[in-house]
PDB file of all heavy atoms in Angstrom:
ATOM      1  N   ALA A 711      17.099 105.145-146.946  1.00  0.00           N
ATOM      2  CA  ALA A 711      17.210 106.433-146.252  1.00  0.00           C
ATOM      3  C   ALA A 711      17.169 107.586-147.252  1.00  0.00           C
ATOM      4  O   ALA A 711      16.577 108.640-146.976  1.00  0.00           O
ATOM      5  CB  ALA A 711      18.502 106.480-145.440  1.00  0.00           C
ATOM      6  N   HIS A 712      17.787 107.396-148.420  1.00  0.00           N
ATOM      7  CA  HIS A 712      17.752 108.435-149.450  1.00  0.00           C
ATOM      8  C   HIS A 712      16.318 108.679-149.921  1.00  0.00           C
ATOM      9  O   HIS A 712      15.908 109.836-150.124  1.00  0.00           O
ATOM     10  CB  HIS A 712      18.631 108.028-150.633  1.00  0.00           C
ATOM     11  CG  HIS A 712      18.577 108.997-151.781  1.00  0.00           C
ATOM     12  ND1 HIS A 712      19.200 110.230-151.750  1.00  0.00           N
ATOM     13  CD2 HIS A 712      17.942 108.923-152.986  1.00  0.00           C
ATOM     14  CE1 HIS A 712      18.959 110.869-152.882  1.00  0.00           C
ATOM     15  NE2 HIS A 712      18.208 110.108-153.646  1.00  0.00           N
ATOM     16  N   TYR A 713      15.566 107.589-150.105  1.00  0.00           N
ATOM     17  CA  TYR A 713      14.155 107.726-150.505  1.00  0.00           C
ATOM     18  C   TYR A 713      13.374 108.539-149.487  1.00  0.00           C
ATOM     19  O   TYR A 713      12.651 109.489-149.837  1.00  0.00           O
ATOM     20  CB  TYR A 713      13.532 106.339-150.688  1.00  0.00           C
ATOM     21  CG  TYR A 713      12.027 106.316-150.559  1.00  0.00           C
ATOM     22  CD1 TYR A 713      11.208 106.984-151.474  1.00  0.00           C
ATOM     23  CD2 TYR A 713      11.409 105.627-149.515  1.00  0.00           C
ATOM     24  CE1 TYR A 713       9.824 106.969-151.346  1.00  0.00           C
ATOM     25  CE2 TYR A 713      10.037 105.598-149.388  1.00  0.00           C
ATOM     26  CZ  TYR A 713       9.248 106.273-150.297  1.00  0.00           C
ATOM     27  OH  TYR A 713       7.880 106.262-150.166  1.00  0.00           O
ATOM     28  N   LEU A 714      13.511 108.206-148.207  1.00  0.00           N
ATOM     29  CA  LEU A 714      12.754 108.901-147.173  1.00  0.00           C
ATOM     30  C   LEU A 714      13.244 110.340-146.990  1.00  0.00           C
ATOM     31  O   LEU A 714      12.444 111.239-146.733  1.00  0.00           O
ATOM     32  CB  LEU A 714      12.842 108.137-145.855  1.00  0.00           C
ATOM     33  CG  LEU A 714      12.022 106.842-145.813  1.00  0.00           C
ATOM     34  CD1 LEU A 714      12.372 106.022-144.581  1.00  0.00           C
ATOM     35  CD2 LEU A 714      10.531 107.148-145.854  1.00  0.00           C
ATOM     36  N   ALA A 715      14.548 110.568-147.139  1.00  0.00           N
ATOM     37  CA  ALA A 715      15.071 111.928-147.056  1.00  0.00           C
ATOM     38  C   ALA A 715      14.516 112.774-148.197  1.00  0.00           C
ATOM     39  O   ALA A 715      14.234 113.971-148.020  1.00  0.00           O
ATOM     40  CB  ALA A 715      16.599 111.912-147.100  1.00  0.00           C
ATOM     41  N   GLN A 716      14.333 112.152-149.366  1.00  0.00           N
ATOM     42  CA  GLN A 716      13.753 112.876-150.500  1.00  0.00           C
ATOM     43  C   GLN A 716      12.298 113.217-150.235  1.00  0.00           C
ATOM     44  O   GLN A 716      11.838 114.318-150.582  1.00  0.00           O
ATOM     45  CB  GLN A 716      13.880 112.027-151.762  1.00  0.00           C
ATOM     46  CG  GLN A 716      13.310 112.695-153.004  1.00  0.00           C
ATOM     47  CD  GLN A 716      13.590 111.885-154.258  1.00  0.00           C
ATOM     48  OE1 GLN A 716      14.652 112.005-154.842  1.00  0.00           O
ATOM     49  NE2 GLN A 716      12.620 111.055-154.648  1.00  0.00           N
ATOM     50  N   VAL A 717      11.548 112.292-149.622  1.00  0.00           N
ATOM     51  CA  VAL A 717      10.167 112.592-149.255  1.00  0.00           C
ATOM     52  C   VAL A 717      10.132 113.809-148.333  1.00  0.00           C
ATOM     53  O   VAL A 717       9.331 114.731-148.516  1.00  0.00           O
ATOM     54  CB  VAL A 717       9.495 111.381-148.576  1.00  0.00           C
ATOM     55  CG1 VAL A 717       8.129 111.777-148.013  1.00  0.00           C
ATOM     56  CG2 VAL A 717       9.321 110.230-149.561  1.00  0.00           C
ATOM     57  N   ALA A 718      11.031 113.833-147.333  1.00  0.00           N
ATOM     58  CA  ALA A 718      11.075 114.954-146.391  1.00  0.00           C
ATOM     59  C   ALA A 718      11.439 116.255-147.094  1.00  0.00           C
ATOM     60  O   ALA A 718      10.839 117.308-146.838  1.00  0.00           O
ATOM     61  CB  ALA A 718      12.078 114.652-145.277  1.00  0.00           C
ATOM     62  N   ASP A 719      12.427 116.200-148.003  1.00  0.00           N
ATOM     63  CA  ASP A 719      12.851 117.396-148.729  1.00  0.00           C
ATOM     64  C   ASP A 719      11.742 117.912-149.637  1.00  0.00           C
ATOM     65  O   ASP A 719      11.462 119.111-149.685  1.00  0.00           O
ATOM     66  CB  ASP A 719      14.102 117.072-149.543  1.00  0.00           C
ATOM     67  CG  ASP A 719      14.662 118.298-150.251  1.00  0.00           C
ATOM     68  OD1 ASP A 719      14.838 119.342-149.593  1.00  0.00           O
ATOM     69  OD2 ASP A 719      14.908 118.221-151.471  1.00  0.00           O
ATOM     70  N   HIS A 720      11.090 116.990-150.340  1.00  0.00           N
ATOM     71  CA  HIS A 720      10.015 117.387-151.249  1.00  0.00           C
ATOM     72  C   HIS A 720       8.802 117.914-150.477  1.00  0.00           C
ATOM     73  O   HIS A 720       8.069 118.772-150.974  1.00  0.00           O
ATOM     74  CB  HIS A 720       9.616 116.214-152.137  1.00  0.00           C
ATOM     75  CG  HIS A 720      10.638 115.880-153.171  1.00  0.00           C
ATOM     76  ND1 HIS A 720      10.414 114.981-154.190  1.00  0.00           N
ATOM     77  CD2 HIS A 720      11.906 116.329-153.353  1.00  0.00           C
ATOM     78  CE1 HIS A 720      11.488 114.885-154.947  1.00  0.00           C
ATOM     79  NE2 HIS A 720      12.408 115.685-154.447  1.00  0.00           N
ATOM     80  N   PHE A 721       8.603 117.388-149.276  1.00  0.00           N
ATOM     81  CA  PHE A 721       7.522 117.885-148.430  1.00  0.00           C
ATOM     82  C   PHE A 721       7.756 119.360-148.096  1.00  0.00           C
ATOM     83  O   PHE A 721       6.848 120.189-148.183  1.00  0.00           O
ATOM     84  CB  PHE A 721       7.439 117.040-147.159  1.00  0.00           C
ATOM     85  CG  PHE A 721       6.309 117.403-146.236  1.00  0.00           C
ATOM     86  CD1 PHE A 721       4.993 117.108-146.562  1.00  0.00           C
ATOM     87  CD2 PHE A 721       6.556 118.022-145.017  1.00  0.00           C
ATOM     88  CE1 PHE A 721       3.945 117.426-145.704  1.00  0.00           C
ATOM     89  CE2 PHE A 721       5.523 118.344-144.153  1.00  0.00           C
ATOM     90  CZ  PHE A 721       4.216 118.047-144.498  1.00  0.00           C
ATOM     91  N   ARG A 722       8.990 119.693-147.748  1.00  0.00           N
ATOM     92  CA  ARG A 722       9.338 121.086-147.453  1.00  0.00           C
ATOM     93  C   ARG A 722       9.164 121.955-148.700  1.00  0.00           C
ATOM     94  O   ARG A 722       8.650 123.073-148.626  1.00  0.00           O
ATOM     95  CB  ARG A 722      10.767 121.177-146.944  1.00  0.00           C
ATOM     96  CG  ARG A 722      11.242 122.597-146.634  1.00  0.00           C
ATOM     97  CD  ARG A 722      12.686 122.604-146.165  1.00  0.00           C
ATOM     98  NE  ARG A 722      12.795 121.907-144.898  1.00  0.00           N
ATOM     99  CZ  ARG A 722      12.597 122.462-143.702  1.00  0.00           C
ATOM    100  NH1 ARG A 722      12.266 123.756-143.635  1.00  0.00           N
ATOM    101  NH2 ARG A 722      12.722 121.764-142.601  1.00  0.00           N
ATOM    102  N   ILE A 723       9.586 121.453-149.853  1.00  0.00           N
ATOM    103  CA  ILE A 723       9.442 122.198-151.100  1.00  0.00           C
ATOM    104  C   ILE A 723       7.967 122.479-151.387  1.00  0.00           C
ATOM    105  O   ILE A 723       7.590 123.592-151.766  1.00  0.00           O
ATOM    106  CB  ILE A 723      10.088 121.423-152.268  1.00  0.00           C
ATOM    107  CG1 ILE A 723      11.613 121.419-152.130  1.00  0.00           C
ATOM    108  CG2 ILE A 723       9.678 122.005-153.618  1.00  0.00           C
ATOM    109  CD1 ILE A 723      12.323 120.498-153.094  1.00  0.00           C
ATOM    110  N   ALA A 724       7.119 121.443-151.200  1.00  0.00           N
ATOM    111  CA  ALA A 724       5.687 121.621-151.455  1.00  0.00           C
ATOM    112  C   ALA A 724       5.091 122.666-150.527  1.00  0.00           C
ATOM    113  O   ALA A 724       4.279 123.506-150.958  1.00  0.00           O
ATOM    114  CB  ALA A 724       4.959 120.289-151.299  1.00  0.00           C
ATOM    115  N   LEU A 725       5.481 122.647-149.252  1.00  0.00           N
ATOM    116  CA  LEU A 725       4.993 123.664-148.322  1.00  0.00           C
ATOM    117  C   LEU A 725       5.417 125.059-148.775  1.00  0.00           C
ATOM    118  O   LEU A 725       4.639 126.017-148.677  1.00  0.00           O
ATOM    119  CB  LEU A 725       5.508 123.388-146.910  1.00  0.00           C
ATOM    120  CG  LEU A 725       4.527 122.645-145.974  1.00  0.00           C
ATOM    121  CD1 LEU A 725       4.213 121.262-146.503  1.00  0.00           C
ATOM    122  CD2 LEU A 725       5.075 122.569-144.548  1.00  0.00           C
ATOM    123  N   ALA A 726       6.624 125.146-149.307  1.00  0.00           N
ATOM    124  CA  ALA A 726       7.126 126.451-149.734  1.00  0.00           C
ATOM    125  C   ALA A 726       6.290 127.021-150.869  1.00  0.00           C
ATOM    126  O   ALA A 726       5.829 128.172-150.793  1.00  0.00           O
ATOM    127  CB  ALA A 726       8.587 126.329-150.164  1.00  0.00           C
ATOM    128  N   PHE A 727       6.072 126.255-151.942  1.00  0.00           N
ATOM    129  CA  PHE A 727       5.350 126.853-153.065  1.00  0.00           C
ATOM    130  C   PHE A 727       3.843 126.899-152.847  1.00  0.00           C
ATOM    131  O   PHE A 727       3.121 127.514-153.618  1.00  0.00           O
ATOM    132  CB  PHE A 727       5.730 126.215-154.414  1.00  0.00           C
ATOM    133  CG  PHE A 727       5.371 124.768-154.622  1.00  0.00           C
ATOM    134  CD1 PHE A 727       4.060 124.348-154.679  1.00  0.00           C
ATOM    135  CD2 PHE A 727       6.377 123.828-154.832  1.00  0.00           C
ATOM    136  CE1 PHE A 727       3.736 123.022-154.912  1.00  0.00           C
ATOM    137  CE2 PHE A 727       6.067 122.502-155.065  1.00  0.00           C
ATOM    138  CZ  PHE A 727       4.738 122.094-155.103  1.00  0.00           C
ATOM    139  N   MET A 728       3.365 126.251-151.749  1.00  0.00           N
ATOM    140  CA  MET A 728       1.961 126.430-151.372  1.00  0.00           C
ATOM    141  C   MET A 728       1.788 127.562-150.365  1.00  0.00           C
ATOM    142  O   MET A 728       0.687 127.848-149.922  1.00  0.00           O
ATOM    143  CB  MET A 728       1.404 125.127-150.792  1.00  0.00           C
ATOM    144  CG  MET A 728       1.284 123.990-151.794  1.00  0.00           C
ATOM    145  SD  MET A 728       0.254 124.365-153.229  1.00  0.00           S
ATOM    146  CE  MET A 728      -1.323 124.693-152.468  1.00  0.00           C
ATOM    147  N   GLY A 729       2.905 128.212-149.973  1.00  0.00           N
ATOM    148  CA  GLY A 729       2.826 129.347-149.059  1.00  0.00           C
ATOM    149  C   GLY A 729       2.594 128.963-147.614  1.00  0.00           C
ATOM    150  O   GLY A 729       2.006 129.735-146.849  1.00  0.00           O
ATOM    151  N   CYS A 730       3.085 127.788-147.209  1.00  0.00           N
ATOM    152  CA  CYS A 730       2.882 127.291-145.839  1.00  0.00           C
ATOM    153  C   CYS A 730       4.166 127.396-145.034  1.00  0.00           C
ATOM    154  O   CYS A 730       5.202 126.837-145.432  1.00  0.00           O
ATOM    155  CB  CYS A 730       2.420 125.838-145.866  1.00  0.00           C
ATOM    156  SG  CYS A 730       0.856 125.574-146.716  1.00  0.00           S
ATOM    157  N   GLN A 731       4.113 128.064-143.894  1.00  0.00           N
ATOM    158  CA  GLN A 731       5.273 128.199-143.027  1.00  0.00           C
ATOM    159  C   GLN A 731       5.383 127.046-142.044  1.00  0.00           C
ATOM    160  O   GLN A 731       6.462 126.733-141.549  1.00  0.00           O
ATOM    161  CB  GLN A 731       5.198 129.519-142.264  1.00  0.00           C
ATOM    162  CG  GLN A 731       6.518 129.949-141.634  1.00  0.00           C
ATOM    163  CD  GLN A 731       7.562 130.353-142.672  1.00  0.00           C
ATOM    164  OE1 GLN A 731       7.339 131.249-143.461  1.00  0.00           O
ATOM    165  NE2 GLN A 731       8.720 129.681-142.656  1.00  0.00           N
ATOM    166  N   ASP A 732       4.244 126.367-141.784  1.00  0.00           N
ATOM    167  CA  ASP A 732       4.252 125.238-140.866  1.00  0.00           C
ATOM    168  C   ASP A 732       3.060 124.339-141.163  1.00  0.00           C
ATOM    169  O   ASP A 732       2.311 124.563-142.127  1.00  0.00           O
ATOM    170  CB  ASP A 732       4.231 125.711-139.405  1.00  0.00           C
ATOM    171  CG  ASP A 732       3.062 126.651-139.114  1.00  0.00           C
ATOM    172  OD1 ASP A 732       2.020 126.565-139.809  1.00  0.00           O
ATOM    173  OD2 ASP A 732       3.178 127.473-138.192  1.00  0.00           O
ATOM    174  N   LEU A 733       2.876 123.320-140.348  1.00  0.00           N
ATOM    175  CA  LEU A 733       1.822 122.341-140.598  1.00  0.00           C
ATOM    176  C   LEU A 733       0.431 122.927-140.408  1.00  0.00           C
ATOM    177  O   LEU A 733      -0.523 122.495-141.068  1.00  0.00           O
ATOM    178  CB  LEU A 733       2.012 121.120-139.685  1.00  0.00           C
ATOM    179  CG  LEU A 733       3.355 120.391-139.815  1.00  0.00           C
ATOM    180  CD1 LEU A 733       3.362 119.144-138.936  1.00  0.00           C
ATOM    181  CD2 LEU A 733       3.667 120.036-141.262  1.00  0.00           C
ATOM    182  N   GLU A 734       0.300 123.899-139.529  1.00  0.00           N
ATOM    183  CA  GLU A 734      -0.999 124.537-139.335  1.00  0.00           C
ATOM    184  C   GLU A 734      -1.440 125.254-140.608  1.00  0.00           C
ATOM    185  O   GLU A 734      -2.618 125.219-140.981  1.00  0.00           O
ATOM    186  CB  GLU A 734      -0.945 125.510-138.158  1.00  0.00           C
ATOM    187  CG  GLU A 734      -0.855 124.827-136.797  1.00  0.00           C
ATOM    188  CD  GLU A 734      -2.015 123.879-136.552  1.00  0.00           C
ATOM    189  OE1 GLU A 734      -3.180 124.273-136.799  1.00  0.00           O
ATOM    190  OE2 GLU A 734      -1.761 122.733-136.122  1.00  0.00           O
ATOM    191  N   ASP A 735      -0.500 125.901-141.272  1.00  0.00           N
ATOM    192  CA  ASP A 735      -0.824 126.547-142.545  1.00  0.00           C
ATOM    193  C   ASP A 735      -1.292 125.508-143.567  1.00  0.00           C
ATOM    194  O   ASP A 735      -2.212 125.766-144.353  1.00  0.00           O
ATOM    195  CB  ASP A 735       0.404 127.274-143.104  1.00  0.00           C
ATOM    196  CG  ASP A 735       0.717 128.558-142.356  1.00  0.00           C
ATOM    197  OD1 ASP A 735      -0.146 129.028-141.591  1.00  0.00           O
ATOM    198  OD2 ASP A 735       1.824 129.090-142.549  1.00  0.00           O
ATOM    199  N   LEU A 736      -0.653 124.354-143.567  1.00  0.00           N
ATOM    200  CA  LEU A 736      -1.020 123.289-144.503  1.00  0.00           C
ATOM    201  C   LEU A 736      -2.459 122.841-144.288  1.00  0.00           C
ATOM    202  O   LEU A 736      -3.212 122.624-145.241  1.00  0.00           O
ATOM    203  CB  LEU A 736      -0.060 122.107-144.322  1.00  0.00           C
ATOM    204  CG  LEU A 736      -0.223 120.896-145.248  1.00  0.00           C
ATOM    205  CD1 LEU A 736      -0.078 121.304-146.701  1.00  0.00           C
ATOM    206  CD2 LEU A 736       0.794 119.825-144.888  1.00  0.00           C
ATOM    207  N   HIS A 737      -2.849 122.741-143.044  1.00  0.00           N
ATOM    208  CA  HIS A 737      -4.214 122.306-142.721  1.00  0.00           C
ATOM    209  C   HIS A 737      -5.273 123.337-143.112  1.00  0.00           C
ATOM    210  O   HIS A 737      -6.452 122.999-143.208  1.00  0.00           O
ATOM    211  CB  HIS A 737      -4.329 121.998-141.224  1.00  0.00           C
ATOM    212  CG  HIS A 737      -3.674 120.717-140.823  1.00  0.00           C
ATOM    213  ND1 HIS A 737      -2.887 120.597-139.704  1.00  0.00           N
ATOM    214  CD2 HIS A 737      -3.669 119.497-141.413  1.00  0.00           C
ATOM    215  CE1 HIS A 737      -2.441 119.367-139.611  1.00  0.00           C
ATOM    216  NE2 HIS A 737      -2.898 118.685-140.627  1.00  0.00           N
ATOM    217  N   ARG A 738      -4.832 124.573-143.334  1.00  0.00           N
ATOM    218  CA  ARG A 738      -5.787 125.630-143.691  1.00  0.00           C
ATOM    219  C   ARG A 738      -5.895 125.867-145.194  1.00  0.00           C
ATOM    220  O   ARG A 738      -6.666 126.719-145.633  1.00  0.00           O
ATOM    221  CB  ARG A 738      -5.391 126.939-142.991  1.00  0.00           C
ATOM    222  CG  ARG A 738      -5.641 126.948-141.484  1.00  0.00           C
ATOM    223  CD  ARG A 738      -5.498 128.343-140.907  1.00  0.00           C
ATOM    224  NE  ARG A 738      -4.100 128.757-140.874  1.00  0.00           N
ATOM    225  CZ  ARG A 738      -3.311 128.644-139.792  1.00  0.00           C
ATOM    226  NH1 ARG A 738      -3.805 128.126-138.676  1.00  0.00           N
ATOM    227  NH2 ARG A 738      -2.061 129.063-139.831  1.00  0.00           N
ATOM    228  N   LEU A 739      -5.155 125.115-145.988  1.00  0.00           N
ATOM    229  CA  LEU A 739      -5.172 125.340-147.432  1.00  0.00           C
ATOM    230  C   LEU A 739      -6.539 125.019-148.040  1.00  0.00           C
ATOM    231  O   LEU A 739      -7.144 123.999-147.700  1.00  0.00           O
ATOM    232  CB  LEU A 739      -4.122 124.465-148.125  1.00  0.00           C
ATOM    233  CG  LEU A 739      -2.660 124.901-148.049  1.00  0.00           C
ATOM    234  CD1 LEU A 739      -1.798 123.904-148.806  1.00  0.00           C
ATOM    235  CD2 LEU A 739      -2.471 126.300-148.616  1.00  0.00           C
ATOM    236  N   PRO A 740      -6.997 125.836-148.976  1.00  0.00           N
ATOM    237  CA  PRO A 740      -8.230 125.501-149.703  1.00  0.00           C
ATOM    238  C   PRO A 740      -7.953 124.395-150.723  1.00  0.00           C
ATOM    239  O   PRO A 740      -6.838 124.267-151.241  1.00  0.00           O
ATOM    240  CB  PRO A 740      -8.593 126.818-150.406  1.00  0.00           C
ATOM    241  CG  PRO A 740      -7.290 127.528-150.565  1.00  0.00           C
ATOM    242  CD  PRO A 740      -6.453 127.154-149.371  1.00  0.00           C
TER     243      PRO A 740
END
């Protein structure tokens, strides 16, 4: 559970520094 929680946390971190507010923003990244 700690491993998967870390994946979820790091996913949010990656969205943050890529400037994505949600999944739609992620799909629009160059």
Side-chain angles (χ1 to χ4, degrees):
H712 176 74
Y713 157 65
L714 287 169
Q716 180 174 276
V717 171
D719 184 50
H720 288 189
F721 183 72
R722 179 181 295 274
I723 290 170
L725 262 63
F727 65 65
M728 293 302 299
C730 299
Q731 196 69 58
D732 55 27
L733 302 184
E734 288 302 313
D735 286 346
L736 183 59
H737 286 136
R738 288 192 288 264
L739 283 180

